[in-house]
Amino acid sequence: MDGNGRWAQARNLPRTEGHKAGEHSLFEVVDGCLEAGVEWLTVYAFSTENWRRPKDEVRFLINFNEEILLRRRDELNERGVRIRFIGRRDWRVPKRLIKRMDEASELTRHNRKLTFTIAFNYGGRAEIVDAVREIAASGVNPKKITEKTIAKHLYDAEMPDPDLVIRTSGEFRISNFLLWQLAYSELIFTDTPWPEFQREQLFAAIGDYQERERRFGGVDSGS
Ligand code: FPP
């Protein structure tokens, strides 16, 4: 959900106004996924690197995430959305926010229409490190470790690898997002800043994705 800060600054607004505008985009995208029949949506809400931002912005983002969870959880629940979280639950994540995360997951755990995963205090490398630590601690024979073993120890072992990753706001980087999972994902980079990314832009990205040919390292079945 990149570009909130720049979108706001370009309008002489504080960066936090960009995040507020980003909430509308987020729910447009949730609606768009429900309408298009997308069953898994994962958003990068706060990275392990985002703690480096000015204190006030970090505080704002934490409170904002908590507030959105409280304000929107019932509506998401009624619409069949299952809320889940990936990321490190270390000392930096306030206990109150962890409580809200657990409440939202618990409330929506039987829903299946859309699994909406929020990456909070998430880093792709940290996720792989955490998986490796768990595997090492289990005492498994190193020769028995396969790709499946690693996948089983990621934060959400049930989450399928993404078909499509969309990065907004004109940056051409992965920035530590789902490093293991996106080995074969299709990537779309758009100049649109997150606050201007609406249902229409989502559908355009899905349309682009549908035009692509995925070979997963093999050859085209038609040739
Ligand atoms: C990146 O823009 C955006 C974020 C760091 C956070 C966005 C968070 C939300 C919209 C709320 C999500 C809440 C839930 C509960 C999922 P940026 O600040 O990096 O923009 P810039 O690159 O222009 O500076």
Side-chain angles (χ1 to χ4, degrees):
M1 299 187 284
D2 198 14
N4 294 342
R6 278 167 289 162
W7 179 88
Q9 280 164 334
R11 283 158 186 75
N12 288 320
L13 295 168
R15 292 173 53 80
T16 48
E17 287 302 314
H19 298 313
K20 287 188 195 163
E23 180 184 343
H24 182 259
S25 302
L26 178 59
F27 285 84
E28 275 275 309
V29 166
V30 168
D31 281 350
C33 286
L34 286 166
E35 195 182 321
V38 171
E39 292 177 349
W40 291 80
L41 167 70
T42 303
V43 296
Y44 209 171
F46 196 89
S47 78
T48 45
E49 288 70 40
N50 283 155
W51 300 106
R52 293 191 204 132
R53 293 190 172 205
K55 259 201 196 124
D56 282 352
E57 189 173 342
V58 168
R59 196 173 307 125
F60 172 86
L61 284 170
I62 287 174
N63 291 336
F64 189 45
N65 272 270
E66 186 191 346
E67 187 208 312
I68 292 179
L69 287 177
L70 264 177
R71 198 154 37 73
R72 300 279 201 154
R73 65 185 183 192
D74 289 335
E75 159 197 343
L76 289 169
N77 188 34
E78 277 154 27
R79 303 183 67 189
V81 176
R82 174 168 62 163
I83 305 172
R84 284 188 167 181
F85 296 88
I86 52 173
R88 248 189 202 163
R89 293 184 159 205
D90 61 22
W91 58 272
R92 294 177 297 188
V93 185
K95 292 227 164 53
R96 224 181 48 217
L97 178 57
I98 291 187
K99 189 164 172 269
R100 297 292 177 227
M101 290 173 169
D102 288 343
E103 286 167 1
S105 308
E106 180 57 29
L107 175 73
T108 60
R109 77 193 155 99
H110 295 301
N111 296 336
R112 286 296 179 275
K113 232 174 149 190
L114 171 68
T115 300
F116 174 42
T117 306
I118 299 167
F120 191 91
N121 194 24
Y122 175 86
R125 287 186 174 179
E127 178 175 35
I128 295 170
V129 168
D130 289 350
V132 170
R133 282 182 182 160
E134 267 184 28
I135 296 165
S138 75
V140 64
N141 175 354
K143 290 208 180 95
K144 297 256 175 231
I145 298 173
T146 63
E147 291 186 11
K148 273 201 184 117
T149 322
I150 308 253
K152 258 199 332 224
H153 286 85
L154 297 175
Y155 293 135
D156 183 349
E158 279 179 31
M159 186 172 90
D161 290 348
D163 292 313
L164 169 64
V165 177
I166 304 168
R167 178 153 191 172
T168 53
S169 200
E171 306 288 355
F172 300 97
R173 288 188 293 276
I174 297 303
S175 298
N176 211 9
F177 189 54
L178 304 179
L179 291 185
W180 178 273
Q181 298 88 331
L182 52 74
Y184 287 102
S185 304
E186 293 295 326
L187 308 177
I188 288 185
F189 297 98
T190 166
D191 285 338
T192 309
W194 180 252
E196 286 171 18
F197 194 91
Q198 310 288 306
R199 189 185 308 228
E200 187 190 331
Q201 285 73 19
L202 173 73
F203 289 167
I206 294 174
D208 272 11
Y209 164 80
Q210 287 170 330
E211 299 287 301
R212 298 192 186 180
E213 181 196 329
R214 303 184 76 196
R215 294 190 298 275
F216 299 95
V219 289
D220 181 0
S221 53
S223 53

